[in-house]
Structure formats: C-alpha cells, structure tokens
Amino acid sequence: MNEPRRGRLTVYLGAAPGVGKTYAMLGEARRRCDRGTDVVVGYVETHGREHTATMLGGLEVVPRAEVSYRGTTFTEMDTDAVIARKPAVVCVDELAHSNVPGSAREKRAEDVELIRRAGIDVITTVNIQHLESLNDEVERITGVRQRETVPDEVVRTADQIQLVDMSPDALRRRMAHGNIYKADQIDASLTSYFRVGNLTALRELALLWLADRVDDALGDYRRAHRIEQPWPAKERIVVALTGGAESETLLRRGARLAQRAAGSELIALHVIAADGIASADESRIDRAQQLAASLGGTFHSVVGEDVSRAVVDFATGANATMIIVGVSRHGRLRRLFTGTTGERIASLAGTIDVHLVTHEQTGGAGRPRWYASPLTRRRQVAGLVLSVLLPVLLTLVLKLSDDPDQLPLDVLLFLAVTVLVALIGGMLPALVAALGGFLLMNWYFTPPVSRFTVAEPTNVVALVVFVAVAIGVASVVDRASRRASDAVRARTEATTMASLSRSVLTGQDTADAVVERLRETFGQRAVSLLARGPVGWTVVAASGTAPATGPDAGDTQVAVDDDHVIVLSGSPLRATDQRVLEGFAAQTGLVLEYRRLRERDERAAALERAEATSTAILRAVSHDLRTPLATMRTAVDGLVSDSVDPAARTELVGAVESSTEQLERLIDNLLDLSRIESGLVRPMLRDLSLEEVLPLAVAGHPPGTVSLEVEESVPLVHTDHGLLERVVANLVGNAVRVSRGAQVRVLAHVLPESVEVLVVDRGPGVPPEQRERMFEPFQRLDDSSGAGLGLGLAVARGLTAALGGTLSAEDTPGGGLTMVLSIPRAGGS
C-alpha cells in the first residue's frame, strides 16, 4: 500500500523584518494561481502595509478560527478548515508563531506539519532571527531576545528555501517612508533594532546559514549520485597532523590560507594508525585541537591502516579543495627507501591540491628519543642491571659443563635471558642483553673460543639469528608494554567519562560534588570552581585544603565557559589527563546550567504564586475588605447625625471598634502572606519558655472560652517569640470561631526532639481529604461567616515553616479538630 504524498515546503527566509518576505510569498501564490494551481491563504498578517494588502487581494482566504483566552477572543489559522478545503497549495505566514493558549497545537510549525501530512504544499515565511540555533547570537547583536523560535531542522529540511534580502540602507529607507511600521514607531526602530550594524550582522547570519544548508544539499546530491571527486564549490582546507612539533605550524599556515577566501573552512585531521605502532604525543594533539578551535576550525580523528589513504579519503568525503601536509621529519636514508607521507598523499589526491609546508623539524630535527619507554624508571634501571648480570651469570654456569657441541642450547638460553630482560626493562635493556650475549657466546662458546672470530658459517648464522630474534622480541615486548599502558589509561578514562555521563543524565551532581570527585580522581591538594564577577573572581565550590581563590593561584586550570574556570592545586597533571579534565569541565558547565534552570524555575514558580496570590487578593478585597469598611462608614454617618440617642451611639461605636479590629486582622494576614510568599520572613530564633508566649497568644478572648493547660516542666523551645505568638493566636482565634461557644483547649505535649502545642476545638471538624486544602490561601471551606479572607491557616503554616516547625490537623476524639503545632526543642534534644 502506497503512503500518501507528503506536501512540499517552500520557505521564504527573511534576512530581517520588513525585507518583503510576505510580499514575495503572496507574489509566488499569485503566479501559481495564474498557472491554474488551486491556492488558498491559510494565514497572512499584513500589519497594515498597503502593498502587502494589495497583493493579498484576489486570493481565496480560509476564515480564521476564534480562540478565547482570559476573556479576550483571538484569531488563529483554522488548520482543520484548510485540510477540509484540500487545496493544492496553502500560504501560511510567520512559521515561528506561537498559537494562543487553548489552541489545538502550541506552535504554527506543528499546524504546517499537519497540513503537509495531508498532502498539501505549504508556502511559508520566517525571519532569520527566529531560528532556534541563532537565538543567542541575535540577542548579542540586537540586544533583543526572540521569544518565538522555530527549530532549525524544520526550515533546513524544507524542499525549497528562498532568501529575501535587502541592503541595510534600502531597508532603512523603506522604514523611513512608512512602508514597514507606523509613523510613531519609525524613529525608535531606526535608532534601536534597525541600526545599520544590526541589519548587516543579521544579513550575514542569513547568508552563512543558507550557505551551510546549500552545502548540505550539495553533499546529499554527491552521495546520492555516487560522485566521489570533490567539487570546489567552497574552499575547504584539510590540515594533516602527525602529532609532531610541527602541528601548530601547519595549522597556522592553513588558517592563513583559509582567511584569503571568505567562507572557507579549516579542518584539522589526525590519523590514528590502526596497527598501533606509531604513538603520537597526546599533549601535542591536545594543543593542536585547542589551537584549531581558536582559529575557527574543527578537529577530527580517524583510524586508518594507511595514513596517506585515510587522509585522502577523508578529504574527498569532506569535499576539500586543499590538503596541507608537512615535509617529512625522517632522514634521507629512510625517505629514499620508504618515501614520504606527503608524496603518497600527492599521488592519491587526484584533483585536490596538496600543499607541502616546511618547518624546523624537517629532516629529522627534533625527533623524540627512540628508546623512550612507558615503563617506570625503576623497571628500566632493574632491566639495565639484569642485562649485564644475567648474561654474565649464565656464562659462568654454562662454562661449568664446557661442552663444545651445545652451542644451539647456549643460543636458546641467552635468548631466554634477553626475553626476560625485555619483559622487565623494555627495549634498551633487552638490546644491551642481546649485544652482551652475542659477544659472550662468540668469545666463550663459538669455536675458536677466546677469539671474536667464528670458524663455522652455521655458527655465524646462529649468532646473527640470535641477535635478530632478540631485537624482534624486545621490540614486541616494548610495543606490548606501550599498548598495555595505553589500554589501562583508556579504560580509566572511559570509566571516568562513563561515570560522568551517568551523573549528568541523572542530574545527581552538584558543583560541590564535581570538584570533590575531580580532586579525588587526579589526587590534587585542592580544587576550586571560580566565577568571574564585576569585582573579580568568587569561589562557587571548593574541595581540599587551601583552595585557590584566583585562576593564577593554582597549578592547573581549565575553562568551563566564559565566566567560570576550574583551578587545581597540587602535582601537575599529565597531558594524557587533559581529555578527562575537559570532561569534568563540560559536566561542570551542565551542572551550572542545571542550577541556572532550577533557579529560573524557582523564580518563575515564585512569580506564579505571587501572581495567583495577587489575583486572589484583588478578588477578595472587593468583598471582604469592603464589608468592615462599609460597616464603619455607616456607623460614622450615624455618629455624626444629631438625632442619634446615647444607646444607639454606644452601639455604633462598638460597631466601629469591631470593624476596625476585623480590618486590622485582615490587613495583618495579607501583609504576613505577602512576606511569606516573597521569602522576607527572617525569624530571630532563641531559647525560651512556652509560658512566655502562650498566655499572650490566648489573651483577648472572653473568660471560659480558652483553657490553657501547660505544665511548668515543659522544656524550652528554640523559636521566635513574636512569630510563635502570632501562629498560636491565629490557631486559637480560628478554633474559637468554629467552636460556637464550646471551650477551646491549648495543651503541650513533649517529644524527644520537639514540643507539640495542641489547639483542640469542638467544632464541626474537617474531612481528612480537605485538611491539606484548608492550609491554602483563601480557602474557607464551609465557613460562610464572612469573617475573613481564609488566610489565617495559610499564614500560620507559612510562619511555622519559617520557624523550622510543622503544622498539621488531626481529629479531636468525640468530634472537632485538633491543630498540632510542632516546635524544635532548645539544644536539639
């Protein structure tokens, strides 16, 4: 069964607002209509521009859908109506637009995708500043953060992209003539967003982004048609690096050549030999990688059996136009017999230019010592000692038998000694043992003895074979030692990086945990994570003794980002540890980003709570605050009247006092809630007795209403006097109101680490499923007395949390509700 045809996507990409992308899209729509194509307009915004409105005339427009949001009606594209209409082509303006909340889909790009799935072609528009990958760059250029963005992949995978461009001067003239914005917006726009520098930078961003997309399309075409020869559509320079001292020279030469042509690419390539024989200096490779990045290039590592073939294959696949390779560092004799890498690359490159660069290391200068060994200094010294002692001891033992026919056995025994020395000390001690064994066998065991001459040709062959085998075995052992050392180091790095990856994916690490792990991994004395501030560096996280407080105060440093750096104090790190250290830096950057996101979420949540509180307060104020004010106003009007009698005057004064107290309670609760929501409550904690607080908290109620039952033996609590008094007063006042005349009991219950203050009422109680909700602001449940805003319990719980305690509700045996206020005991016991 054939899948339905997917609609084609054509994108008109604007280099800046006002360049005419919507006008160009409508022009294309009219041209297709003239050719008989069924074209409709799904959504176009003219922004009051006369020429755009004129171009829209005569085209069929699908009516928009109405969406209600917060009491206001908005219009959005009716995607379902467009699909039901099923035209051949639909025009959809502003691809990056976010739909009004309540719409079927969040982004207009999702609507476009749904239309394309229905087999309808889409013509759309988007500005370069709305591409997700360029959001940060656009903000740095213009100072404006684009809130509406679209993923690059949506635009990059379009079937056709048309760039709508205009020079900055021409665009500013359009702006000045009123063809883009209204007259009252022209001056502000010309002096802010539409400055020449901003428009030039946006134009360059659009051209570079589109060039990359065209380059990707060219690569797809070459692969689809199996075109292996590079097409020089763009200057790409591949610098082949061996890891030698000349690597930086080659990179700088390549960068200078790349700068001669705008848009050129610099690609650094290091080929790792598949046989593992050649081992490059990793510290130089790391420095070359950093240099390539600083020069604006990219760094790549590939594995290949033939280095020259690997370089050419990579350059061909990258569509390179030039390969830069250094002149061979080997001596003339080796170049004579084996040739050079540059010559082999030139013979294989075909149409790719090969540029040979001379350097100071040409001809063998500056080559590393051939006998450098990965073994420890102790093993090398032990090997050298054994390379002298063991052949001598073996000679003494063999001289005891003094059998002239045992030369083959002697050769095997000396070979065994050489292999043992190679296993212990590596290449150089093994060569010493082989040479010593050769001389000892020649002098003591090869006829004629006591002379360095050999009578039998077969004995000559045996001695030569012995030396050759000894050298071969020594080289194999030395190479195996190198590979084992590399394998152990690679395994350690892989284990560490895997651990880092797991911690990043699970989001478990904090900055403190990262620096602690880094100190343990590299055995450093101290590790610091520093942040750049307006007045210098500050310590974000530190581990160890005497951590550095500045980048120059440590022994090793690695940058996390532009504003953060990790400083290590202790023994200098090996160059091979650089990759792991950079992995730690990358993880630290993610940890800091997670921290910023969490703080942003917390701020957003706080703002959302504050907005909800403000909204609820405004709604409540319209009724609950007006009630006591209306009562006071009526009472005052009565008091100023001449006809009021003394008894009525006394009643009116009482009403004013009652309303004033009610109003004070409401305002106090509102202020307390505002302080709690804003995090401004700062308790002054100290040790004090409940006898200092509870009598004041329950005062003011009619006699017999509240019973205070607290023993003198109750231990001290660690709390704030005023805040605790306010919490208990709120709880008692609430209990008295719901008890309807029944006595409220205030008790104290001592626990090992806290003291519980129990406020027991005989009211109607609260069902268990509603007890948590009653602690939320503006929740009065079934209380219809109109005596408050429903803030008392919310304020009480907020203040309790600030005191380090808890507040919960339980059933009162026999009916009612018991509020349990838990307060920490003094001294933590």
Side-chain angles (χ1 to χ4, degrees):
M1 183 176 179
N2 294 330
E3 295 184 358
R5 172 187 174 275
R6 178 179 172 82
R8 292 173 56 84
L9 178 63
T10 301
V11 176
Y12 281 84
L13 179 65
V19 294
K21 61 186 184 304
T22 304
Y23 187 90
M25 176 186 70
L26 295 176
E28 174 64 17
R30 296 180 73 92
R31 284 190 292 272
R32 296 196 184 194
C33 280
D34 293 342
R35 294 196 298 265
T37 305
D38 183 12
V39 181
V40 301
V41 174
Y43 187 96
V44 164
E45 189 64 60
T46 63
H47 298 290
R49 297 167 187 169
E50 179 181 353
H51 298 296
T52 304
T54 301
M55 187 63 70
L56 182 61
L59 294 174
E60 178 184 348
V61 179
V62 177
R64 299 181 185 181
E66 293 185 351
V67 180
S68 296
Y69 178 64
R70 292 186 176 181
T72 305
T73 301
F74 300 88
T75 60
E76 293 287 1
M77 179 175 65
D78 193 338
T79 304
D80 295 335
V82 171
I83 296 176
R85 168 66 174 74
K86 201 165 181 61
V89 181
V90 60
C91 295
V92 180
D93 204 6
E94 299 177 359
L95 180 65
H97 172 75
S98 297
N99 292 330
V100 175
S103 302
R105 283 157 293 279
E106 181 180 356
K107 302 286 289 187
R108 185 164 294 164
E110 299 174 16
D111 293 323
V112 168
E113 174 64 21
L114 192 63
I115 293 173
R116 294 181 66 194
R117 288 178 186 173
I120 302 172
D121 294 346
V122 177
I123 308 176
T124 188
T125 65
V126 69
N127 279 332
I128 192 68
Q129 69 265 26
H130 294 297
L131 295 181
E132 182 66 42
S133 67
L134 301 178
N135 205 336
D136 293 337
E137 284 77 1
V138 171
E139 182 179 10
R140 282 194 291 268
I141 292 169
T142 64
V144 178
R145 184 74 175 180
Q146 300 296 330
R147 301 299 178 187
E148 294 187 335
T149 60
V150 63
D152 289 43
E153 194 63 19
V154 174
V155 181
R156 188 177 291 275
T157 56
D159 298 280
Q160 185 177 1
I161 301 178
Q162 296 282 349
L163 178 64
V164 184
D165 189 18
M166 183 178 293
S167 69
D169 291 337
L171 185 56
R172 285 170 59 85
R173 283 196 299 271
R174 285 198 66 198
M175 172 71 72
H177 293 158
N179 294 329
I180 300 177
Y181 292 153
K182 296 180 180 178
D184 57 349
Q185 299 176 317
I186 294 176
D187 291 339
S189 299
L190 288 175
T191 56
S192 56
Y193 194 93
F194 283 82
R195 294 196 300 268
V196 173
N198 291 356
L199 297 177
T200 303
L202 290 175
R203 190 184 190 194
E204 184 176 2
L205 277 179
L207 293 171
L208 291 176
W209 188 91
L210 190 60
D212 288 339
R213 195 269 180 185
V214 172
D215 190 65
D216 291 341
L218 177 61
D220 294 340
Y221 180 84
R222 291 177 61 238
R223 285 188 291 272
H225 292 78
R226 298 181 180 179
I227 300 174
E228 298 182 357
Q229 294 298 325
W231 286 2
K234 183 178 182 179
E235 193 74 22
R236 286 186 180 85
I237 299 176
V238 174
V239 181
L241 305 178
T242 62
E246 76 282 359
S247 297
E248 296 183 7
T249 302
L250 301 183
L251 276 173
R252 291 191 176 93
R253 180 65 60 84
R256 288 198 299 271
L257 293 174
Q259 291 173 356
R260 296 177 181 176
S264 297
E265 290 186 19
L266 177 66
I267 305 173
L269 174 65
H270 172 58
V271 179
I272 302 173
D275 57 9
I277 295 177
S279 181
D281 188 338
E282 294 190 11
S283 63
R284 287 174 174 167
I285 292 297
D286 291 336
R287 288 198 298 270
Q289 184 172 358
Q290 295 172 8
L291 178 60
S294 67
L295 294 173
T298 58
F299 185 90
H300 303 267
S301 293
V302 298
V303 178
E305 297 181 358
D306 184 345
V307 174
S308 303
R309 171 60 67 181
V311 170
V312 174
D313 289 345
F314 178 89
T316 302
N319 199 24
T321 57
M322 180 185 296
I323 299 174
I324 293 181
V325 62
V327 175
S328 177
R329 292 181 282 116
H330 301 304
R332 293 181 180 179
L333 185 62
R334 181 168 177 176
R335 294 203 302 268
L336 177 63
F337 287 99
T338 63
T340 66
T341 302
E343 293 172 351
R344 291 192 292 273
I345 290 176
S347 64
L348 297 171
T351 59
I352 304 176
D353 296 338
V354 178
H355 190 83
L356 286 176
V357 177
T358 58
H359 47 84
E360 295 179 355
Q361 288 73 30
T362 300
R367 285 177 291 172
R369 294 182 299 171
W370 60 273
Y371 57 85
S373 173
L375 302 178
T376 63
R377 181 62 61 86
R378 179 178 298 179
R379 287 185 60 178
Q380 294 181 58
V381 172
L384 287 173
V385 173
L386 293 176
S387 69
V388 176
L389 291 180
L390 289 182
V392 173
L393 292 176
L394 181 59
T395 300
L396 293 177
V397 172
L398 293 178
K399 285 294 292 182
L400 296 177
S401 63
D402 199 16
D403 185 356
D405 296 327
Q406 66 175 13
L407 181 60
L409 178 60
D410 297 341
V411 171
L412 291 178
L413 292 176
F414 273 97
L415 180 61
V417 167
T418 304
V419 172
L420 177 61
V421 171
L423 291 173
I424 296 174
M427 184 72 169
L428 182 59
L431 293 179
V432 173
L435 180 60
F438 173 82
L439 297 175
L440 290 172
M441 283 190 295
N442 192 354
W443 183 267
Y444 289 105
F445 306 110
T446 305
V449 296
S450 301
R451 295 174 60 185
F452 286 112
T453 59
V454 181
E456 297 293 334
T458 55
N459 292 339
V460 175
V461 174
L463 292 176
V464 172
V465 170
F466 160 73
V467 174
V469 171
I471 294 174
V473 171
S475 63
V476 170
V477 171
D478 182 75
R479 189 179 306 156
S481 299
R482 294 176 185 272
R483 299 288 78 77
S485 177
D486 292 342
V488 171
R489 184 171 60 251
R491 183 176 60 188
T492 303
E493 292 180 2
T495 302
T496 304
M497 298 307 293
S499 175
L500 290 175
S501 300
R502 285 194 300 271
S503 62
V504 169
L505 292 175
T506 56
Q508 297 174 348
D509 271 350
T510 63
D512 293 317
V514 170
V515 296
E516 176 64 25
R517 292 176 59 193
L518 202 155
R519 185 182 64 82
E520 294 174 353
T521 300
F522 295 108
Q524 296 291 294
R525 184 180 68 255
V527 178
S528 303
L529 172 61
L530 306 179
R532 190 196 310 272
V535 294
W537 293 91
T538 59
V539 179
V540 177
S543 175
T545 58
T549 57
D552 299 329
D555 300 298
T556 306
Q557 60 175 276
V558 59
V560 177
D561 52 35
D562 294 339
D563 298 319
H564 294 85
V565 64
I566 295 176
V567 181
L568 293 82
S569 302
S571 57
L573 299 183
R574 299 174 301 173
T576 53
D577 294 329
Q578 187 67 28
R579 288 194 299 271
V580 180
L581 184 59
E582 291 176 353
F584 272 100
Q587 185 197 20
T588 304
L590 292 176
V591 168
L592 294 175
E593 182 63 23
Y594 289 155
R595 174 185 292 183
R596 285 192 290 268
L597 291 176
R598 285 196 298 269
E599 292 175 351
R600 187 179 302 172
D601 289 343
E602 291 172 358
R603 289 195 299 269
L607 291 174
E608 185 176 355
R609 290 194 302 270
E611 181 182 3
T613 301
S614 301
T615 302
I617 289 175
L618 291 174
R619 292 175 179 173
V621 163
S622 62
H623 176 268
D624 294 86
L625 290 183
R626 285 184 177 181
T627 301
L629 288 175
T631 302
M632 294 170 65
R633 177 62 180 269
T634 303
V636 170
D637 290 342
L639 289 172
V640 299
S641 175
D642 296 334
S643 60
V644 63
D645 57 61
R649 184 180 297 275
T650 301
E651 183 178 352
L652 292 174
V653 170
V656 171
E657 291 178 350
S658 175
S659 298
T660 302
E661 292 176 358
Q662 181 182 356
L663 190 60
E664 287 178 347
R665 285 197 305 271
L666 294 176
I667 293 176
D668 287 343
N669 281 333
L670 287 172
L671 293 176
D672 285 340
L673 181 64
S674 176
R675 291 169 58 204
I676 293 171
E677 293 288 347
S678 303
L680 299 178
V681 178
R682 299 289 187 270
M684 302 294 293
L685 301 178
R686 61 187 181 92
D687 298 341
L688 47 84
S689 172
L690 289 178
E691 292 182 348
E692 302 177 41
V693 181
L694 297 185
L696 298 175
V698 302
H701 297 284
T705 304
V706 181
S707 171
L708 181 59
E709 307 170 19
V710 179
E711 299 180 359
E712 295 181 359
S713 60
V714 174
L716 300 179
V717 294
H718 190 66
T719 187
D720 181 290
H721 186 290
L723 296 183
L724 179 59
E725 179 185 340
R726 185 64 188 278
V727 171
V728 177
N730 262 344
L731 298 179
V732 172
N734 190 67
V736 169
R737 187 176 69 255
V738 301
S739 294
R740 296 184 176 88
Q743 189 179 62
V744 174
R745 302 174 63 198
V746 180
L747 312 172
H749 183 206
V750 180
L751 297 178
E753 297 183 355
S754 63
V755 175
E756 291 183 344
V757 177
L758 309 180
V759 180
V760 184
D761 68 55
R762 291 294 180 180
V766 177
E769 64 273 9
Q770 295 186 5
R771 287 176 188 167
E772 280 303 312
R773 190 162 67 88
M774 74 180 183
F775 289 104
E776 298 176 3
F778 310 105
Q779 299 294 327
R780 297 195 294 194
L781 300 183
D782 295 331
D783 181 12
S784 58
S785 63
L789 296 174
L791 298 178
L793 292 180
V795 170
R797 173 167 278 190
L799 295 179
T800 302
L803 294 173
T806 60
L807 178 61
S808 59
E810 298 178 356
D811 285 324
T812 299
L817 194 68
T818 298
M819 305 301 297
V820 182
L821 172 63
S822 178
I823 311 166
R825 289 178 58 172
S829 62

